[in-house]
Amino acid sequence: DPRLFTFSIVDVIKKKKIPVLKTIHNYFDLCPQGELMFKGNEVCTDYLEGRRCGECLSALPLESFMKERLSNTLRGTVLHPLLKRSWRLLRKFTSKPKDIVPGPLPFPPEHYRERRQYSMERLGMLDAVHCYSRRTAEILISHGADEKKISLIPISSDSLNNIRLKPARTKQYPVVFGYLTGKSYIKGYEVLLEAFAMLDQNKAKLLAYGFDEPKHFSEK
């Protein structure tokens, strides 16, 4: 993950002739903010040779970005649950802080272009690349990744196949939909709520998990 390691670590590993496999969790190889989303709410299909990157990053909330980076860095350590509980208590007893929007970043467009070129060159040096989805593989290939090195292995597919179907219930019970990931625009959070609002609420039920602020979801 380029958020934790620089791309140049590939050069060090390859000099030692160690085989390298990379699992693709996001689009940091192509995008400085990782999700190929312009300003967090529009799919980025053309970064205009780096000209859109500075504008995009400057518009992202600094506080949320730094909190997420710290959380991801400490995830799996004993500090993570401790800090998470402390953060929730702080938010509960204080007013919600406004997002801090940073000023324009100092990097010129060519730096973002060079970053993408450099990262894709390192991706080409790997022995194998693992993608969770076909679409992720297609996007990487369209930007120059070696198709022969990419292996498509979907996540959690085996466990889903082993789930036993329950008998169909009578019409008096609502159809239940489940959502697990929290408030995430890029994962379709707003689309889900808009779509569910169109259904007959007597015939459908939505169970959502993973929210730091459940009240926000219920109000929506």
Side-chain angles (χ1 to χ4, degrees):
D1 190 333
R3 292 174 296 181
L4 305 178
F5 304 103
T6 63
F7 293 120
S8 58
I9 194 174
V10 176
D11 299 79
V12 177
I13 296 174
K14 295 306 294 184
K15 283 182 179 179
K16 295 182 177 293
K17 299 182 179 180
I18 300 174
V20 185
L21 161 67
K22 179 173 182 177
T23 297
I24 303 295
H25 291 275
N26 43 46
Y27 297 103
F28 268 103
D29 296 274
L30 299 170
C31 172
Q33 56 94 345
E35 303 296 351
L36 284 178
M37 296 287 290
F38 183 64
K39 297 185 178 182
N41 55 26
E42 174 189 333
V43 177
C44 182
T45 56
D46 186 356
Y47 78 135
L48 299 178
E49 295 294 305
R51 294 194 298 277
R52 295 189 94 196
C53 295
E55 181 184 352
C56 173
L57 293 174
S58 296
L60 296 179
L62 179 62
E63 180 202 48
S64 300
F65 177 75
M66 294 305 295
K67 180 170 71 71
E68 182 182 1
R69 172 169 289 190
L70 181 63
S71 177
N72 288 334
T73 303
L74 296 176
R75 196 178 303 278
T77 69
V78 293
L79 286 174
H80 187 263
L82 207 65
L83 290 174
K84 193 170 184 178
R85 284 196 294 270
S86 300
W87 173 258
R88 287 179 177 175
L89 283 173
L90 181 65
R91 294 292 294 272
K92 183 177 181 180
F93 295 106
T94 61
S95 59
K96 183 178 179 181
K98 295 181 179 179
D99 288 329
I100 304 170
V101 181
L105 298 181
F107 305 112
E110 56 266 25
H111 284 201
Y112 297 109
R113 184 179 66 247
E114 290 168 3
R115 176 196 182 277
R116 179 177 288 199
Q117 180 180 350
Y118 185 88
S119 66
M120 291 306 294
E121 288 174 355
R122 266 71 211 151
L123 199 68
M125 293 167 62
L126 304 180
D127 297 275
V129 178
H130 164 213
C131 291
Y132 285 139
S133 73
R134 189 178 304 278
R135 182 56 185 152
T136 298
E138 290 173 351
I139 290 174
L140 290 177
I141 292 170
S142 70
H143 287 88
D146 187 347
E147 184 175 1
K148 296 178 181 178
K149 292 185 177 182
I150 294 179
S151 294
L152 179 62
I153 307 175
I155 189 171
S156 300
S157 56
D158 290 338
S159 60
L160 292 176
N161 291 334
N162 294 329
I163 294 177
R164 292 184 179 181
L165 295 178
K166 292 183 179 180
R169 298 183 296 183
T170 60
K171 293 182 179 180
Q172 71 184 78
Y173 291 99
V175 176
V176 180
F177 297 90
Y179 175 77
L180 173 62
T181 194
K183 182 183 176 183
S184 176
Y185 186 90
I186 62 172
K187 293 184 179 180
Y189 157 73
E190 295 288 351
V191 176
L192 170 66
L193 292 180
E194 290 175 7
F196 188 77
M198 299 178 186
L199 301 179
D200 184 339
Q201 304 297 297
N202 294 317
K203 297 181 179 179
K205 182 179 181 180
L206 176 61
L207 300 180
Y209 301 91
F211 285 81
D212 287 337
E213 300 175 57
K215 185 180 178 182
H216 173 81
F217 189 90
S218 60
E219 287 176 349
K220 280 283 194 175

